[in-house]
Amino acid sequence: QVQLVESGGGLVQPGGSLRLSCVASGSSFSLYAVRWHRQAPGKQRDLVATITSGGSTTYADSVKGRFTISRDNAKNTASLQMNSLKPEDTAVYYCNTVRLLTRAESWGQGTQVTVSS
């Protein structure tokens, strides 16, 4: 079973930046697609960004041009660089992995991001 731990959340001002990390404790990290999701109070959980095992990336329209997802397979880590943050980015951010072929999934516990003056 893949264990995921998110970190890097916190309080930032509008326009600020934050970098989230997702560290996987397990094997075969290079076989996983990694996704970042977020959920604000009273809102549905939204997919923010995805990076495949091959390194291809996709983003929600709401974060395109501001967020960048990346991975370092040697460190079993995926990151989400968030720039030009807006109050509407406030949410709990979750890391999720999906294994190639089997589609088995794991989820982290989430990290709170608050964008406020």
Side-chain angles (χ1 to χ4, degrees):
Q1 183 178 349
V2 177
Q3 297 178 20
L4 303 174
V5 179
E6 303 98 335
S7 63
L11 174 64
V12 296
Q13 294 185 339
S17 297
L18 211 56
R19 186 175 181 87
L20 306 183
S21 294
C22 174
V23 179
S25 179
S27 62
S28 303
F29 181 73
S30 64
L31 299 179
Y32 306 138
V34 181
R35 296 167 168 171
W36 284 97
H37 312 252
R38 67 186 182 187
Q39 186 167 24
K43 303 289 186 179
Q44 70 176 25
R45 185 178 64 194
D46 294 325
L47 177 62
V48 175
T50 299
I51 186 165
T52 70
S53 61
S56 298
T57 59
T58 56
Y59 300 91
D61 287 343
S62 58
V63 307
K64 283 182 179 176
R66 300 189 297 121
F67 290 12
T68 302
I69 188 171
S70 61
R71 68 191 299 157
D72 185 342
N73 291 339
K75 297 181 179 179
N76 277 21
T77 300
S79 299
L80 185 68
Q81 178 66 45
M82 305 184 293
N83 298 326
S84 302
L85 284 162
K86 305 173 181 179
E88 50 262 46
D89 295 319
T90 295
V92 177
Y93 284 71
Y94 298 92
C95 179
N96 156 240
T97 60
V98 182
R99 195 184 191 280
L100 281 174
L101 301 180
T102 70
R103 310 300 291 176
E105 296 192 20
S106 295
W107 290 83
Q109 295 299 306
T111 184
Q112 176 71 49
V113 172
T114 302
V115 185
S116 179
S117 298

